[in-house]
Amino acid sequence: MRLVRSLDTYTDDTQGLALSIGNFDGLHIGHRAIIKELTTRAKAMNLTSAVMCFEPQPLEFFGKNKIPARLSRFRDKLIGLRELGINRLFCLRFNEMLSDLSPEDFIFNVLFKKLNVRLLIVGDDFCFGKGGSGNYDLLKQYANKLGYEVISMPSYKYNNERVSSTSIRKLLSCGLLDRVAPMLGEYFYIRGKVCHGKKIGSTLNFPTANINLNRRVVPIFGSYAVKILMPDDSTKYGIANVGLRPTVNGNYPLLEVFIFDFTGNLYTKEIKVSFIKKLRDEKKFPSLEALKKQIAQDEMETRRFFGILQG
């Protein structure tokens, strides 16, 4: 898959693109339905399959201090789209210039002239252009003039519940991980490289593998029973805390993972942490000893949940 971050130097070397546009945050089953339709039609029409997204996401650009939590990192999105058969990923910088572009200019100058889009597939709530004034009806109107095909995909539902990144965030914030898993196609996870921490976990006899969240907004907070995909592709189990660590006066979000029955050095290595069950909310304990006692209880509960004997 080819990653394109700017259209300034991009030249089309294909017979045309089959394109979908959106955030594709989390790559939930609604996204996957769009991509399956896109890749199937692209193959039948001898077109190159492509996705366009934006950094920052438009809601982040306009929201300023009210930024919605992301379900996945950009790297996870890239890996997922590649695995689903997408040939091009256009990741455009969302700025004042792009946000001020009229829907008509976006259609004619970007989609038609620059990208040679022959097929466009969008969700039924898709809007674009300055003030979000462009919609499917406008795309359809220009499709007849410029000779491309446009398709609007209906919202995907699971158990009569609309699947969207917004609904998934709400379920995650309520700790409803089992309801989220079918929508994502797997349990919600965070993947990243293990970094050095303050070694407080080691002093409590619960050493943790830490993943820096780079101050990004995450959709979960608290302690969880987790599965860990290790660097050697083996699976381990443990407990994880996502939060600010108020007991030790933390001031930025961190993912800390205590991996059961493991000794070794994971620094700079990548692990994937899947959140299976919420244990409790994060809170400030009166002392480190009280925190240690709670973690021991969390471990016992998690081992019972997974059916793992004490190592």
Side-chain angles (χ1 to χ4, degrees):
M1 183 176 72
R2 179 181 171 189
L3 174 61
V4 179
R5 289 192 175 273
S6 173
L7 296 182
D8 292 340
T9 57
Y10 175 76
T11 55
D12 177 50
D13 57 355
T14 73
Q15 296 186 42
L17 295 181
L19 178 73
S20 186
I21 307 173
N23 290 327
F24 291 93
D25 184 27
L27 282 179
H28 56 63
I29 56 176
H31 294 143
R32 292 170 186 267
I34 290 175
I35 291 170
K36 183 178 181 180
E37 183 75 11
L38 182 77
T39 53
T40 299
R41 287 179 176 267
K43 186 176 182 180
M45 298 170 68
N46 197 27
L47 300 174
T48 297
S49 61
V51 161
M52 179 183 290
C53 64
F54 306 95
E55 288 290 341
Q57 294 176 6
L59 284 177
E60 294 171 343
F61 179 81
F62 292 114
K64 305 303 180 184
N65 295 325
K66 295 183 178 180
I67 298 175
R70 288 203 184 194
L71 299 177
S72 62
R73 293 184 172 189
F74 177 75
R75 182 169 177 270
D76 292 321
K77 182 189 301 186
L78 189 149
I79 292 171
L81 290 171
R82 180 189 294 128
E83 291 175 346
L84 292 171
I86 294 299
N87 302 126
R88 299 277 192 280
L89 174 57
F90 296 94
C91 181
L92 306 186
R93 181 163 185 78
F94 198 84
N95 51 25
E96 290 283 355
M97 182 181 298
L98 189 58
S99 69
D100 282 339
L101 199 64
S102 72
E104 293 80 5
D105 281 345
F106 183 77
I107 293 172
F108 187 75
N109 292 318
V110 177
L111 300 184
F112 181 68
K113 289 184 64 177
K114 192 67 178 180
L115 296 181
N116 188 26
V117 171
R118 311 313 305 161
L119 171 67
L120 182 64
I121 299 181
V122 296
D124 57 5
D125 59 349
F126 179 70
C127 60
F128 66 102
K130 186 173 183 179
S133 55
N135 55 24
Y136 172 75
D137 290 339
L138 186 65
L139 288 171
K140 190 70 176 178
Q141 176 185 329
Y142 270 81
N144 297 329
K145 295 179 181 179
L146 301 177
Y148 63 84
E149 183 180 359
V150 59
I151 297 171
S152 175
M153 292 281 287
S155 297
Y156 200 93
K157 291 188 176 181
Y158 179 81
N159 285 345
N160 294 320
E161 187 172 13
R162 184 177 183 273
V163 177
S164 69
S165 298
T166 299
S167 64
I168 291 172
R169 289 187 197 102
K170 290 180 180 178
L171 291 171
L172 286 173
S173 68
C174 295
L176 301 175
L177 301 171
D178 283 339
R179 286 178 59 183
V180 165
M183 295 182 177
L184 288 176
E186 62 179 306
Y187 279 93
F188 174 77
Y189 70 86
I190 294 176
R191 175 166 31 204
K193 289 186 177 181
V194 176
C195 63
H196 287 277
K198 296 182 178 180
K199 309 293 191 287
I200 295 174
S202 296
T203 65
L204 302 175
N205 294 324
F206 294 103
T208 59
N210 303 320
I211 295 178
N212 194 332
L213 300 176
N214 297 320
R215 300 183 182 275
R216 76 184 180 113
V217 182
V218 292
I220 58 173
F221 259 67
S223 292
Y224 298 82
V226 297
K227 287 184 180 179
I228 306 102
L229 181 65
M230 303 293 282
D232 63 359
D233 290 330
S234 65
T235 299
K236 294 285 188 180
Y237 299 86
I239 53 179
N241 186 78
V242 182
L244 299 174
R245 298 147 292 124
T247 305
V248 295
N249 299 317
N251 55 12
Y252 59 90
L254 186 71
L255 167 57
E256 302 171 291
V257 188
F258 171 50
I259 306 172
F260 297 161
D261 311 320
F262 172 78
T263 56
N265 186 348
L266 292 175
Y267 292 122
T268 75
K269 295 180 181 178
E270 185 175 86
I271 60 175
K272 177 183 176 181
V273 183
S274 297
F275 297 80
I276 312 301
K277 178 187 177 184
K278 184 166 185 178
L279 301 173
R280 58 181 173 83
D281 290 331
E282 185 178 51
K283 69 176 184 178
K284 184 172 183 176
F285 290 89
S287 66
L288 287 178
E289 188 60 34
L291 173 60
K292 180 179 178 180
K293 183 177 180 180
Q294 179 63 62
I295 296 175
Q297 292 175 0
D298 293 342
E299 179 182 4
M300 289 178 59
E301 180 181 349
T302 300
R303 285 186 179 275
R304 284 196 300 267
F305 175 73
F306 286 127
I308 304 170
L309 298 175
Q310 185 75 39

